[in-house]
Amino acid sequence: MMWFSFWRSRNRFSLEELRYLTEQLQKIQIVNEVNKDFVIEALRSIAELVTYGDQHDSTFFDFFMEKQVLGEFIRILKISRTVTVSLQLLQTMSIMIQNLKNEHAIYYLFSNEHINYLITYSFDFRNEELLSYYISFLRAISGHLNKSTIALLVKTQNDEVVSFPLYVEAIQYAFHEESMIRIAIRALTLNVYHVGDESVNRYVASGTLANYFTDLVAFFKKQCLTLNDLVVQASQETSKDFSSSIIAFADEIEDNLYYFSDVISAGIPDVDKLITDNLLRLLILPLLLPSLIEAGLGIGAVTSLYLLCCILRIVKIKDLANTIVAAFFCPQGAFVSLPEAKMNGAAISYKLQHLKSEESAQSSNGYVVEDEGNLKLSIPEDVSLQDSCGDPNLSLRETVLSYLNVGNDVQVLGSLSVVATLSQTKELEESMLDAFGILPKRKQHKKLLLQALVGESSGEEQLFSSGSNSTRCGFVSELDSYLQKLKEYGVSSSFELRSSPRSCRSQVLDALVNLFCRSDISAGTLWHGGWLLRQLLPYSEAEFNMQHLKLLRESFVTSSSNILLEARGTWADLLISVLCDEWRKCKKVTESSSPRNELRCMLLPSSSGGCVISSESLAAGERMYEVVKAFVLLYQLQVFSQGIPLPDHAPIFPPVDIPQNSRGRAMGLDTVGPKQGVELKLVDAIPCRIAFERGKERYVWFQAVSMGTSGWIVLVEELPLRQNVGVVRVVAPLAACNPRIDDKHPRWLHLRIRPPTLQSLNPSKTAALGKAKARTLVDGRWTLAFRDEESCKSAVSMIHEEFNLLSQEVERQFKPLFDPDYLMVPPGSSSHPESPNTNSSNRL
């Protein structure tokens, strides 16, 4: 009956209590269903008392050591027949290890074989909760690792580590199906790597343990293929929303790469080489690069472009980055015939090897990475460029650039992202960037100036000439060394430098200019191209040739026609404000020092911020945004190509004063416009009836009015005691009302009522990608009943008259954007041919 005496009255936080609990544990000979509750409570209480003593009374831990309580824990585990005791024991150890602050206490816990015994004990992990507690226990130990404590957990022979149970057992679960377990194991391994113990580092990077890094890449490859499956499924099943799933998986992909980066930052010799070798051998060379030129390899071109960008941005390895760039100079034929199966066969699972070499390992202790040959490969439907760029002698670099001319929107975005990422990758040799044709001009000038200052004749000659022979020679030397490395991976090609870096740069510039002339590419993607162009040519227009200027001008003229159509379109009243807003955004984007990090956009199916577009006006609003964004970019490129500083604000005319004899002034409106409940004068108002609810007609006065670039349909209820004065009951936008007289009832007027703003479609104001709830947006419909046909026709005439005034004001303010004279001298300057301070309304 000793478990009943456990509840007798004692000071809970006392040495007497700890002594009592220890004595009771020592008396137990077997743990079963009868006494397990006492044992569990005793273990929990001992952990609580030891933690309390660590902070308040050192005699508690002295007693813990004297009575070898840790040994009692091991004995209890051996004689226990219930899983719940094992759970509590692991939790007890985790609590003590996590909360003990005294280094002496930590050293004691780690200084005997009890910890290693618990680590290697054969727990029954068919209980998932037990595995979670075990992983937490391992992670708690790793949190106290340093050069002193790690030596207590390893076995050495001739100053070399020959056994490290904590690490060996932990990586058994590195690829477990449960993500939280994978995260915990990665945290543990990083704690081991960042201790900086040289003998431990040699141990984890040698022998069968080095295959852990191979398994990491193999597991990562499997995740890449799963991500591609989601992307393909999203493109095929457009009725379902896969955005959240794609984003979640992309997050995990990027987390894996950041883990690679953290491993590399630990500075373990040869680990960066292991990761580089496996990424190239298992993923990049046999799968990602060939998928850019050949469909049916199990991964789509867009997914490959996304993954290449992520790898280059996150995994900072010089050899990896330069080898990838060198591969871009190889012809297509060097990749199409790569023996992928042979490469995949090199990825032997660490888990399998470990089981063969150590018979004591538990087969149920982990998640084995599947053989790559058994992976299910889905065939993506996004079209590769093999049909249009099928020349096997064409380099992969030229293939990627050709996406800019013949690829679809997401392929263009992917290609731009790869080129932009390469230009921003600091690990790349500048000569490699120069040969690719994307070395920013400022870096080029800086390099040549430095060579000239230190007395290198080649630098001085290049600085003041158009030649680049020295750069060409340097490039060939560096590229040749990386091409030799590629041969080790089965990429064999007889490379010949067919073009100088200057010619390669012209190729990039040609592709970008041609891109700006495409009308089937979204404006957001074109902005990415604008950023890249500004990076390549930050200072002057010298590298634009006459053909470039002609193409840019023609594209600008076409865009000007499109935006003029919008001045008489559905959203004419918002056109000025949208243009001014997009002007600032475009300038900020293209002049930024780094590209926008929206790589995931290329993976997501096209959407409208979670809105289901089911109305003409909202579809027109989306189109208007595209037209404005494209026009703003092309205008700014026109300014840039002329070498003119770009103004911070759009060069448009300011609004003019509203004439006193206008309908709006006569009604008593100010610039804010009509508001519900405000009194207005009835000017040219037409009586009519409208029913907003079935069977409830209201008698109102119809008025259409514009002020500057704004316009409204106003329904007013006349005040009975004040003649020709009424109260505003309903207000709707004038633009897009699309008046139509009913065919059968000529006294009825049908109006379309669009939303007052475009906030729901503005990408900058929508919810996070994939998280916006879908909602249906529709246009409203009004039907007004007038007294007679003439009144109905008069209402239509009033709408057209006021909308024409609105459109004319929009066109007047836009005028500086379409005149070449205004392009050279922004409005407001003293030499401007038409000052905005004059009454420009007289000139229209």
Side-chain angles (χ1 to χ4, degrees):
M1 302 297 293
M2 63 181 178
W3 49 89
F4 292 110
S5 60
F6 174 76
W7 302 106
R8 69 184 185 179
S9 177
R10 285 184 306 276
N11 183 3
R12 181 182 177 189
F13 294 102
S14 65
L15 188 59
E16 179 188 6
E17 177 74 4
L18 179 60
R19 182 179 289 107
Y20 169 77
L21 293 172
T22 303
E23 291 173 354
Q24 296 303 315
L25 280 181
Q26 291 172 341
K27 295 177 183 179
I28 294 177
Q29 298 304 313
I30 189 170
V31 181
N32 52 33
E33 293 296 325
V34 178
N35 61 0
K36 69 175 184 179
D37 291 339
F38 168 77
V39 173
I40 290 172
E41 183 61 26
L43 291 172
R44 187 197 64 77
S45 298
I46 289 174
E48 190 176 30
L49 287 167
V50 172
T51 302
Y52 170 82
D54 182 66
Q55 301 175 16
H56 298 90
D57 188 347
S58 61
T59 59
F60 281 65
F61 200 81
D62 291 340
F63 177 84
F64 183 86
M65 292 188 294
E66 179 185 349
K67 298 299 181 180
Q68 298 185 10
V69 179
L70 191 57
E72 282 300 313
F73 288 174
I74 301 298
R75 188 183 69 83
I76 291 294
L77 179 64
K78 291 179 179 179
I79 64 176
S80 173
R81 297 178 179 177
T82 62
V83 174
T84 52
V85 173
S86 298
L87 285 171
Q88 184 58 55
L89 181 60
L90 288 173
Q91 186 182 46
T92 295
M93 294 302 300
S94 298
I95 290 173
M96 288 196 303
I97 293 172
Q98 287 173 355
N99 292 282
L100 290 177
K101 307 299 181 184
N102 189 295
E103 290 186 5
H104 177 63
I106 295 296
Y107 288 157
Y108 170 77
L109 292 179
F110 288 5
S111 62
N112 52 62
E113 283 299 306
H114 293 318
I115 292 294
N116 279 339
Y117 180 86
L118 287 175
I119 291 173
T120 56
Y121 186 79
S122 299
F123 291 101
D124 184 5
F125 289 133
R126 289 175 296 181
N127 185 307
E128 294 181 1
E129 189 178 10
L130 184 60
L131 178 59
S132 297
Y133 277 81
Y134 177 74
I135 297 299
S136 297
F137 167 62
L138 297 184
R139 185 172 181 177
I141 296 172
S142 73
H144 284 282
L145 292 180
N146 54 45
K147 288 188 176 181
S148 299
T149 57
I150 201 170
L152 304 174
L153 298 174
V154 302
K155 291 182 180 179
T156 60
Q157 183 177 344
N158 298 326
D159 295 330
E160 291 295 328
V161 175
V162 294
S163 175
F164 188 8
L166 174 65
Y167 181 79
V168 171
E169 295 299 323
I171 61 176
Q172 306 280 334
Y173 310 96
F175 312 109
H176 194 273
E177 58 189 6
E178 176 59 49
S179 62
M180 295 306 296
I181 291 178
R182 296 199 300 269
I183 292 172
I185 297 305
R186 289 176 185 178
L188 183 153
T189 56
L190 290 176
N191 287 337
V192 171
Y193 301 151
H194 284 273
V195 167
D197 186 284
E198 293 183 1
S199 59
V200 171
N201 288 348
R202 287 194 295 271
Y203 176 73
V204 301
S206 61
T208 57
L209 289 177
N211 288 314
Y212 168 67
F213 302 104
T214 301
D215 284 354
L216 275 177
V217 178
F219 183 75
F220 177 69
K221 177 181 179 179
K222 181 180 178 182
Q223 289 183 309
C224 292
L225 292 170
T226 305
L227 173 65
N228 183 73
D229 290 344
L230 281 174
V231 173
V232 173
Q233 193 175 3
S235 65
Q236 294 173 344
E237 302 179 26
T238 55
S239 60
K240 298 180 181 179
D241 183 14
F242 290 89
S243 297
S244 58
S245 299
I246 292 174
I247 289 175
F249 224 91
D251 283 338
E252 191 163 355
I253 291 286
E254 293 177 21
D255 286 342
N256 284 332
L257 290 174
Y258 279 113
Y259 174 65
F260 291 160
S261 179
D262 290 339
V263 171
I264 294 165
S265 68
I268 303 176
D270 297 329
V271 165
D272 58 343
K273 186 178 184 301
L274 282 171
I275 293 177
T276 297
D277 180 71
N278 286 301
L279 281 174
L280 290 169
R281 190 179 299 278
L282 300 180
L283 180 64
I284 297 173
L285 295 177
L287 192 62
L288 298 189
L289 295 182
S291 69
L292 301 180
I293 52 179
E294 182 178 10
L297 294 180
I299 197 166
V302 173
T303 308
S304 294
L305 292 169
Y306 164 77
L307 291 170
L308 284 171
C309 289
C310 288
I311 292 171
L312 288 167
R313 290 189 181 191
I314 298 174
V315 185
K316 306 292 186 180
I317 303 178
K318 181 178 179 180
D319 277 353
L320 177 63
N322 283 282
T323 304
I324 291 174
V325 172
F328 276 105
F329 287 93
C330 295
Q332 295 181 9
F335 298 97
V336 174
S337 59
L338 275 180
E340 182 182 358
K342 180 179 178 181
M343 289 189 171
N344 290 341
I348 303 174
S349 169
Y350 161 77
K351 175 68 178 177
L352 295 176
Q353 288 195 9
H354 184 67
L355 288 175
K356 292 177 182 178
S357 61
E358 297 187 26
E359 295 179 356
S360 60
Q362 299 296 311
S363 61
S364 61
N365 277 0
Y367 179 80
V368 181
V369 177
E370 298 180 16
D371 189 300
E372 295 296 319
N374 296 326
L375 291 176
K376 178 183 178 183
L377 303 182
S378 65
I379 306 302
E381 287 194 352
D382 59 320
V383 181
S384 73
L385 292 182
Q386 191 178 29
D387 292 338
S388 57
C389 309
D391 183 359
N393 295 319
L394 202 65
S395 72
L396 190 60
R397 169 189 168 276
E398 292 169 311
T399 302
V400 171
L401 289 180
S402 68
Y403 274 97
L404 302 182
N405 296 336
V406 297
N408 60 34
D409 192 75
V410 289
Q411 290 171 337
V412 171
L413 179 59
S415 178
L416 288 172
S417 297
V418 167
V419 176
T421 299
L422 290 174
S423 71
Q424 295 285 296
T425 302
K426 297 180 180 179
E427 289 72 29
L428 286 175
E429 300 286 352
E430 287 191 357
S431 59
M432 299 284 276
L433 286 176
D434 196 17
F436 201 99
I438 56 174
L439 179 65
K441 202 69 174 179
R442 62 172 68 90
K443 288 186 177 181
Q444 196 176 64
H445 286 171
K446 180 180 178 181
K447 179 179 180 180
L448 296 178
L449 180 60
L450 182 61
Q451 291 176 352
L453 290 174
V454 298
E456 297 183 14
S457 59
S458 60
E460 186 174 359
E461 291 171 0
Q462 291 180 68
L463 186 62
F464 299 104
S465 69
S466 59
S468 54
N469 293 330
S470 177
T471 304
R472 180 186 178 108
C473 294
F475 154 65
V476 172
S477 174
E478 290 174 345
L479 178 60
D480 186 63
S481 65
Y482 287 107
L483 288 173
Q484 291 300 318
K485 291 183 180 180
L486 285 172
K487 291 182 179 180
E488 300 174 8
Y489 301 101
V491 181
S492 179
S493 64
S494 55
F495 173 78
E496 295 181 6
L497 185 60
R498 295 177 293 177
S499 304
S500 67
R502 185 178 182 85
S503 298
C504 291
R505 187 181 185 84
S506 296
Q507 276 186 328
V508 176
L509 190 56
D510 289 344
L512 287 174
V513 171
N514 288 328
L515 170 64
F516 299 135
C517 298
R518 294 184 60 180
S519 59
D520 59 337
I521 301 299
S522 68
T525 300
L526 293 178
W527 279 22
H528 283 275
W531 176 88
L532 183 58
L533 181 68
R534 292 296 302 269
Q535 290 296 305
L536 299 179
L537 307 174
Y539 298 131
S540 68
E541 71 284 3
E543 293 194 43
F544 284 110
N545 57 39
M546 295 303 295
Q547 181 65 15
H548 294 155
L549 297 176
K550 177 185 177 183
L551 290 174
L552 288 175
R553 183 63 185 174
E554 290 175 351
S555 184
F556 172 70
V557 170
T558 301
S559 182
S560 300
S561 301
N562 293 336
I563 203 168
L564 279 175
L565 292 176
E566 295 296 333
R568 292 188 172 273
T570 304
W571 297 90
D573 51 341
L574 296 184
L575 196 56
I576 293 291
S577 62
V578 170
L579 182 136
C580 293
D581 190 38
E582 296 303 318
W583 178 279
R584 291 188 295 269
K585 291 178 184 177
C586 185
K587 185 174 187 294
K588 181 179 180 180
V589 167
T590 56
E591 294 182 353
S592 173
S593 60
S594 58
R596 292 181 296 177
N597 296 320
E598 297 176 1
L599 292 178
R600 300 173 192 177
C601 290
M602 69 179 80
L603 300 177
L604 300 176
S606 59
S607 63
S608 300
C611 305
V612 179
I613 304 298
S614 60
S615 71
E616 295 179 16
S617 64
L618 290 173
E622 196 171 51
R623 183 177 63 251
M624 184 268 286
Y625 260 105
E626 283 292 298
V627 169
V628 171
K629 288 165 70 76
F631 173 80
V632 166
L633 174 67
L634 291 169
Y635 184 93
Q636 293 188 4
L637 290 177
Q638 283 287 300
V639 175
F640 174 69
S641 67
Q642 299 295 330
I644 304 171
L646 191 64
D648 293 331
H649 303 283
I652 61 175
F653 282 138
V656 296
D657 294 335
I658 307 299
Q660 292 298 323
N661 60 353
S662 67
R663 182 175 283 123
R665 289 297 189 194
M667 291 170 58
L669 286 177
D670 55 19
T671 55
V672 178
K675 298 294 182 182
Q676 191 172 6
V678 174
E679 293 184 3
L680 290 179
K681 294 179 182 179
L682 299 178
V683 179
D684 301 330
I686 305 173
C688 63
R689 291 174 294 129
I690 188 171
F692 292 109
E693 299 179 43
R694 184 180 295 273
K696 294 183 180 180
E697 286 191 342
R698 303 177 71 172
Y699 289 85
V700 294
W701 291 80
F702 170 87
Q703 290 181 291
V705 60
S706 66
M707 296 191 70
T709 60
S710 300
W712 306 272
I713 300 292
V714 185
L715 300 184
V716 181
E717 283 188 350
E718 187 177 18
L719 292 175
L721 301 180
R722 299 182 62 185
Q723 189 176 7
N724 294 328
V725 177
V727 177
V728 176
R729 293 307 182 196
V730 187
V731 180
L734 175 63
C737 67
N738 192 25
R740 180 178 63 85
I741 298 175
D742 191 90
D743 296 334
K744 296 181 179 180
H745 304 85
R747 294 185 295 111
W748 291 6
L749 179 63
H750 299 291
L751 300 178
R752 182 180 67 188
I753 307 302
R754 47 140 249 232
T757 67
L758 263 171
Q759 181 175 347
S760 57
L761 289 179
N762 190 343
S764 65
K765 297 181 180 180
T766 54
L769 287 174
K771 298 181 181 179
K773 295 182 179 179
R775 58 191 186 279
T776 303
L777 301 173
V778 297
D779 291 337
R781 301 288 174 179
W782 288 0
T783 299
L784 304 176
F786 292 89
R787 293 177 179 176
D788 49 46
E789 296 182 24
E790 289 302 320
S791 297
C792 189
K793 292 179 180 178
S794 297
V796 173
S797 298
M798 187 186 303
I799 291 173
H800 288 316
E801 177 187 352
E802 293 296 324
F803 184 68
N804 284 335
L805 292 173
L806 184 157
S807 298
Q808 289 172 10
E809 174 60 16
V810 172
E811 293 170 352
R812 184 197 67 80
Q813 293 190 32
F814 269 173
K815 187 177 180 181
L817 297 171
F818 308 127
D819 192 329
D821 293 334
Y822 292 90
L823 182 65
M824 302 301 296
V825 185
S829 63
S830 57
S831 58
H832 199 278
E834 189 170 4
S835 174
N837 296 324
T838 61
N839 188 358
S840 54
S841 62
N842 296 330
R843 297 188 298 272
L844 295 178

